[in-house]
Amino acid sequence: MTSTDITRALNDLLFTPGLDLAEAVDRHFTPDYRQRTDGVWSDRASFVQHMTRLRTLVRSGTVEVHDELRDGPRYADRHTVTLTQHNGRTSRTEVYLFARMAPDGRFQSVEETTLLVTGHPDDGNLGSLK
């Protein structure tokens, strides 16, 4: 299996509406996946709930990776997510992400910090995995 990355994961999760969400999550995240975003921990079930909500809000978007590093099971990147919602609002969020990859190449854990660059303050969590 090819190891995943943030671009492939977000494209499947948010920007490929015809792809079943459960399939997208299974493709990129292990069953025991957990993450911390801006200091708040969540498990895989909470993550799936968040992605389900985002899919109802997001019309389109892009991921721009500025820096990316892999070292064995460790993965880190700095990326910007630009999202356009169905209501027409656009936001850009810069994300600093550190992850542990499972042996099969999927994300096992992610810790990230986000910064809303442009957009409405309520859109701050839209560009992150949380």
Side-chain angles (χ1 to χ4, degrees):
M1 174 182 216
T2 302
S3 190
T4 194
D5 59 37
I6 196 63
T7 302
R8 282 183 271 202
L10 287 176
N11 281 335
D12 282 355
L13 291 168
L14 296 177
F15 310 136
T16 309
L19 180 60
D20 179 69
L21 180 59
E23 182 181 338
V25 172
D26 285 343
R27 184 180 293 173
H28 300 284
F29 302 91
T30 61
D32 61 342
Y33 175 73
R34 52 185 252 135
Q35 72 178 45
R36 182 172 69 172
T37 301
D38 298 328
V40 178
W41 281 102
S42 49
D43 60 12
R44 183 173 158 140
S46 298
F47 173 73
V48 170
Q49 283 181 327
H50 179 67
M51 289 299 119
T52 300
R53 180 178 159 271
L54 285 182
R55 279 188 163 201
T56 68
L57 299 174
V58 173
R59 181 176 67 213
S60 62
T62 60
V63 179
E64 180 183 0
V65 175
H66 309 290
D67 300 293
E68 187 175 47
L69 174 69
R70 291 179 190 272
D71 182 23
R74 295 178 293 184
Y75 173 90
D77 81 21
R78 180 175 64 91
H79 65 274
T80 300
V81 180
T82 303
L83 298 175
T84 301
Q85 297 179 58
H86 292 289
N87 65 12
R89 282 197 331 215
T90 299
S91 63
R92 291 182 69 234
T93 303
E94 187 171 0
V95 181
Y96 297 80
L97 180 147
F98 297 88
R100 176 145 313 269
M101 308 302 284
D104 67 4
R106 294 184 292 170
F107 288 111
Q108 188 167 27
S109 67
V110 165
E111 296 189 44
E112 62 183 5
T113 300
T114 65
L115 172 66
L116 182 64
V117 178
T118 60
H120 191 278
D122 291 343
D123 299 338
N125 277 340
L126 292 179
S128 70
L129 290 178
K130 182 192 179 291

